[in-house]
């Protein structure tokens, strides 16, 4: 998916929490949508949604666990606390994103810096408001981009399942394609 204000979407990135964009897509499943190529209409009457998010997308899926239509959530190396020390500080990432992606990410500096408040798009600020039973967090201890300690604390506080890897750094979504890890993810989803 494309968050509001990124790539082909309209709007301004981070004006609203990206979790709202996920919710809009889930809403659309039930209301119906058209295939742009064929013009055919699709509607899923009672969608059961499984969400996967990595890094920046981790908070979106974690916060979306509150939606009763979301059955399970898998977050790989999620940023669970924007206030945690990272090898990619928020201010530096704002500047990098503007330089590297130009208009592919359209945001104001004020909206970007809402991340630093700790109250916007930040699961660590609201562990009691998520449904930990639905959440699997996969995180490596040596992740310097989204540090492991906040993820461990969040999992303990929220009741989320934490699958810890000793090594791997900042994992991408391809990590779950490894047979041993996929077996654990599949078991969580089936439970």
């Amino acid at each position: 998916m494309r968050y509001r204000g990124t790539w082909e979407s309209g709007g301004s990135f981070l004006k609203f929490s990206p979790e709202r964009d996920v919710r809009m897509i889930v809403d659309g499943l039930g209301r119906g949508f058209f295939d742009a190529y064929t013009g055919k209409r699709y509607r899923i009457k009672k969608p059961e949604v499984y969400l996967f998010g990595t890094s920046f997308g981790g908070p979106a899926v974690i916060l979306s666990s509150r939606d009763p239509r979301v059955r399970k959530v898998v977050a790989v190396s999620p940023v669970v606390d924007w206030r945690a020390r990272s090898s990619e500080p928020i201010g530096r990432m704002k500047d990098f994103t503007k330089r590297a992606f130009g208009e592919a990410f359209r945001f104001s500096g004020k909206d970007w810096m809402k991340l630093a408040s700790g109250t916007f798009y930040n699961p660590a600020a609201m562990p009691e408001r998520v449904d930990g039973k639905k959440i699997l967090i996969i995180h490596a201890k040596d992740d310097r981009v989204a540090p492991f300690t906040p993820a461990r604390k969040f999992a303990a506080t929220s009741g989320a399942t934490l699958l810890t890897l000793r090594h791997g750094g900042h994992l991408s979504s391809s990590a779950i394609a490894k047979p041993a890890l996929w077996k654990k993810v599949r078991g969580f989803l089936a439970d």
Side-chain angles (χ1 to χ4, degrees):
M1 67 164 274
R2 302 292 190 219
Y3 297 112
R4 184 187 338 238
T6 67
W7 303 101
E8 301 91 352
S9 71
S12 181
F13 184 53
L14 296 176
K15 183 174 183 178
F16 304 102
S17 174
E19 168 216 355
R20 287 179 61 179
D21 296 336
V22 173
R23 189 172 56 239
M24 287 174 65
I25 290 173
V26 174
D27 289 345
L29 295 174
R31 283 195 307 264
F33 52 93
F34 288 94
D35 180 320
Y37 291 105
T38 66
K40 185 174 178 180
R41 180 175 162 73
Y42 293 93
R43 184 169 174 258
I44 301 171
K45 289 184 181 179
K46 292 185 180 180
E48 278 192 11
V49 179
Y50 295 80
L51 299 173
F52 292 74
T54 304
S55 190
F56 183 91
V61 299
I62 289 170
L63 295 171
S64 294
S65 70
R66 298 179 286 188
D67 189 316
R69 299 166 295 182
V70 173
R71 179 130 160 62
K72 295 284 179 122
V73 165
V74 177
V76 180
S77 290
V79 179
V80 294
D81 192 349
W82 292 100
R83 298 164 297 179
R85 238 172 139 67
S86 168
S87 64
E88 295 182 359
I90 291 171
R92 191 168 70 191
M93 286 309 299
K94 174 181 69 77
D95 297 339
F96 170 79
T97 302
K98 278 286 189 196
R99 274 193 328 275
F101 297 101
E103 288 301 306
F105 284 78
R106 297 166 306 283
F107 58 87
S108 72
K110 178 183 162 199
D111 283 343
W112 185 279
M113 294 311 291
K114 288 190 297 190
L115 295 170
S117 73
T119 58
F120 175 78
Y121 191 56
N122 196 37
M126 53 186 99
E128 71 287 345
R129 292 179 48 203
V130 301
D131 188 346
K133 296 181 301 293
K134 295 181 182 180
I135 303 169
L136 170 63
I137 297 173
I138 302 170
H139 220 291
K141 286 184 174 182
D142 63 349
D143 188 337
R144 292 181 31 222
V145 174
F148 172 74
T149 300
R152 185 187 71 224
K153 287 164 105 174
F154 176 79
T157 306
S158 68
T161 300
L162 177 64
L163 181 54
T164 304
L165 306 177
R166 283 187 199 177
H167 304 287
H170 194 59
L171 303 166
S172 70
S173 58
S174 64
I176 61 174
K178 295 179 181 174
L181 201 48
W182 174 245
K183 183 177 180 182
K184 293 177 181 182
V185 170
R186 189 178 63 204
F188 174 78
L189 295 175
D191 189 18

